[in-house]
Structure formats: structure tokens, C-alpha cells
Amino acid sequence: MNLSSRSKAILICGAVILSVSLGVRHTFGLFLQPIVMEQGWGREVFAFAIAIQNLVWGIAQPFAGLAADRRGAGPVILVGGLLFASGVGLMSVAGSIPIFVIAAGILVGLGLSGTTMPVVFGAISRAMPPEKRSMAFGIAMSVGSLGQFILLPGALGLIDHVGWAYSLMLLSALSAVILPLSFALRENRKDQVGTTNLEAHRAARLALGDRGFQLLSFGFFVCGFHVVFIAIHIPVYLLDAGLSSTVGSTVLALIGLFNIFGSLAAGWLGGRFPKPQLLSFLYLARAATIAAFVLLPPTPTSAYVFAMLMGFLWLSTVPLTNGIVASMFGVTNMAMLGGVIFLAHQIGSFLGGWLGGAIYDRFGSYDIVWAVAIGLSLVAAAVNWPIAERPVMKAVAT
């Protein structure tokens, strides 16, 4: 893409920030087994902390997005990076359930609200011409996925050699890389129309009252349910099936690797075909992929094939969903509106993470959650199809 040096800097640094924040977060599923075994906690404790993380992340996201729209993304990312690194570090020394929930749930959740897609995509969307936004989102999301692919085998190796606590300390140090990168995403928002509380309230009211935005939010809720349930519980699900921890970490790494291709493909396709219909096809493909995986006997081969297919579909929803939001409401309040729709995603994430642990502890199986995941995929495919990708109001869609 032919871009100015400023636009390139925002895209590159924003993509690296996503790579670090999403990559470190994606390793958390590897820590479930060693932490609960050493601390003597049930799986629900760990799952609840991660569920709280996703809920806090979702609740804080609209406010982080509003701050980024008004003050620029840089300061928000700086504060988010500090909170994120602090939370990961505190996880390594948390010896009680309340401290662990504060660290993994509240601090990391708040940190993620300032260092992930809505805030970063808001800055990228304002730096890009409309015809290049979808592809830019896809590029940023693919680099974010690269962090997942690289950090997962690295985190597993660290856990094996130095233990889970030191591994979390090192991941906390890595997260501090976000701090200097945040300065590249500083924006002068004082001259921008639509960054006042009145304009932000108006945009939020229009979005929440729009049927298409409501349906899009439900689809994103389903996406959140899928990704957190799988990311947190797939390693132990495979261990329960008699497979090794290496298989579990490889599955998560493959998801990150193939998400690179899926995000790039979604960004490219989103600039050429209707995004709502693309989302419908993605959710149908998720339903078929999950159903095939749980019905077939678990083997390393079936797990790897599932990872590659699911990885391609993993966060391909993100550039498409954000692209629809930009088309409907413009980019002036993009981070705030992205945060609003992301709240729906994180409510789904809370339920996917927590229900996985709660249902397993009560029934000794994940079968119910897999069935719910398939059913939600089918509903999401149906509700995304009729969404009309058009400006809701010209005064907002700038």
C-alpha cells in the first residue's frame, strides 16, 4: 500500500502492539494446568479469573475508546501497557485466589482495553483512506496473530525450564515493549469534529438503536465465546483425551499462525465483497469445524487440522466487523463504537471462559459447551446475513 510515513508508522507500531498484547494473553491457557495443580485450585478458579479479565476488558473498552477518540490513542495505550505488564507480573506471585483474580482479571483486563483492537484500529482507521482501511485492519490483525504463533512455543518452553511463575515474570517484561511503541500512535485530536461528549453520546445512541449494529454485536458475542473457551480450555481438553501438553501448545500456535492468513484474507475480501455475508460464511465454517472436531476421535492429526481451520477463522471476524462499523458510523468515534461492540464480544468471552471451567467441574466433560458453541455459530451466521452495510447518518459517517 502507498502510504505516508506517518500512516506507515501507525500501522507498523499498532500491529506490533497487538502482537505483544494478544500474544501474551494467548499464552494464558498454557498456565491453567500448572497453576491449579501447584496452588490446589479447581479449573473453575482459573477460568473465573480469565472470565473476569474478559468482562473487565469489555466494560472498560468503550471508555478507553472514548478517551482515545478525544485525546489520541497514544496516552491510552501507554496507560494500558503499564496496567497489562503489572497484571501479568502480579500473576506470577499471586498466592491467593483474590490476588490472582485482581491480577489476571482486573489489571490485565484493564490493560487489554487500552492495548488491543478498538483503540489501535481507531488510530489506524483515522490514518488510512477509506479504500485501504479493510486491508490495513487485516494486516494489523495478522501481525497480532504472529505474536500468538511465536509466543506460544516460547511460553511452553519457559514453563518447562523455569516454571510458570518465572515465565509470567518474563512475559511481563516483554509486555513493557508496548510503552515506547505507544508514542508512535499519538494523535492531535483537538481539531476533530465529533470528539466531544455530545457527539460521542449521539454516535453511541444511533449505534445502539440501529438494528444492524445490534445484530453485528450478537455475532461478535459469539466470536468472543468461541475464542476464549477454546484458547483457555483446549490444552486441558486435549490432555484429558490422553494427548501431550506439546500437542495443546502446538494447537494454539497453529491457531495463531493460520489466523495470520485468515486475517489477511478477510481484510482483502472485505474490500471487495459485502462484509456481512462474509461474516455469515465464517460462522457457518466455524460450526462445521467445531462439529467435526468433537465428533471425531481426538488425535494429534485431528487436533492440528482443527487448529489450522479454526485459526483461519479465528479473528477474521475482527477486520470485517470493524470495517462494517466504520462504513456505518465513520471513523471519528471509531474507537469508542468499536469498544461498544467489543463489549458484546467480551460478554461472550466471559461466558465461554467461565462456563468451560464451571461445566467441566460439575460434569467432568466439555461436551455441553462444545454443543453450545456450535449452536451459537449457526445463529450468528443467520443474524449477520441481513445487515445492511451503509451509513446510518451522514453527519456521523465521516
Side-chain angles (χ1 to χ4, degrees):
M1 293 191 294
N2 294 321
L3 301 172
S4 67
S5 58
R6 173 64 177 157
S7 296
K8 289 179 181 177
I10 289 176
L11 178 57
I12 292 169
C13 292
V16 175
I17 289 167
L18 288 177
S19 182
V20 174
S21 62
L22 296 178
V24 171
R25 171 184 174 264
H26 202 59
T27 67
F28 289 162
L30 302 178
F31 290 90
L32 188 158
Q33 188 80 349
I35 288 178
V36 300
M37 288 184 66
E38 183 169 324
Q39 302 285 18
W41 301 335
R43 292 185 188 181
E44 186 176 359
V45 171
F46 189 96
F48 178 74
I50 300 302
I52 289 294
Q53 174 193 115
N54 285 281
L55 189 60
V56 169
W57 181 5
I59 293 171
Q61 192 65 76
F63 300 100
L66 177 61
D69 287 333
R70 296 186 64 188
R71 305 295 181 184
V76 176
I77 294 171
L78 179 64
V79 174
L82 285 169
L83 290 169
F84 184 69
S86 300
V88 175
L90 185 57
M91 286 172 65
S92 68
V93 296
S96 67
I97 293 174
I99 298 299
F100 187 78
V101 171
I102 290 171
I106 297 175
L107 289 178
V108 173
L110 289 172
L112 287 167
S113 72
T115 58
T116 48
M117 287 81 71
V119 171
V120 173
F121 278 9
I124 291 174
S125 69
R126 290 186 285 267
M128 299 293 159
E131 69 275 8
K132 295 181 179 178
R133 283 178 196 147
S134 182
M135 192 65 217
F137 290 159
I139 291 171
M141 198 67 257
S142 68
V143 176
S145 303
L146 182 62
Q148 299 174 197
F149 174 68
I150 293 173
L151 286 178
L152 277 159
L156 181 63
L158 285 174
I159 293 170
D160 289 341
H161 287 89
V162 301
W164 64 268
Y166 283 114
S167 298
L168 285 170
M169 290 180 186
L170 292 171
L171 290 174
S172 174
L174 174 63
S175 302
V177 171
I178 293 172
L179 306 184
L181 292 173
S182 68
F183 290 94
L185 276 77
R186 289 177 297 177
E187 303 172 274
N188 181 11
R189 302 291 291 150
K190 294 180 180 179
D191 58 345
Q192 296 294 314
V193 177
T195 57
T196 65
N197 285 332
L198 180 62
E199 284 295 323
H201 176 75
R202 177 170 175 253
R205 186 180 70 251
L206 284 170
L208 292 173
D210 182 78
R211 183 65 172 169
F213 189 86
Q214 295 167 2
L215 296 176
L216 193 64
S217 297
F218 178 81
F220 224 30
F221 163 90
V222 175
C223 178
F225 186 96
H226 288 161
V227 299
V228 173
F229 167 64
I230 293 171
I232 297 302
H233 296 281
I234 194 72
V236 290
Y237 173 80
L238 295 172
L239 282 173
D240 292 342
L243 304 181
S244 70
S245 59
T246 302
V247 174
S249 66
T250 303
V251 163
L252 292 178
L254 285 172
I255 287 174
L257 176 62
F258 278 81
N259 190 30
I260 297 172
F261 308 122
S263 296
L264 286 172
W268 184 83
L269 290 169
R272 291 160 175 78
F273 300 98
K275 298 179 190 68
Q277 283 71 59
L278 290 173
L279 283 173
S280 291
F281 285 123
L282 281 174
Y283 286 116
L284 279 175
R286 282 192 185 190
T289 300
I290 294 171
F293 176 62
V294 297
L295 290 174
L296 290 171
T299 66
T301 300
S302 68
Y304 297 152
V305 171
F306 168 76
M308 290 185 284
L309 293 174
M310 199 67 197
F312 192 83
L313 307 167
W314 192 247
L315 292 179
S316 301
T317 58
V318 175
L320 296 175
T321 300
N322 281 272
I324 293 172
V325 173
S327 297
M328 293 173 71
F329 301 98
V331 299
T332 302
N333 295 289
M334 179 70 189
M336 185 270 293
L337 291 178
V340 171
I341 202 166
F342 195 71
L343 174 57
H345 184 281
Q346 293 310 98
I347 293 173
S349 299
F350 172 86
L351 291 174
W354 170 67
L355 279 177
I359 289 177
Y360 180 87
D361 282 352
R362 284 160 178 75
F363 298 99
S365 169
Y366 289 109
D367 290 348
I368 295 174
V369 192
W370 285 120
V372 170
I374 294 168
L376 287 174
S377 295
L378 297 174
V379 177
V383 302
N384 272 278
W385 189 269
I387 295 173
E389 189 182 355
R390 71 325 180 229
V392 171
M393 188 172 181
K394 290 183 180 179
V396 175
T398 57

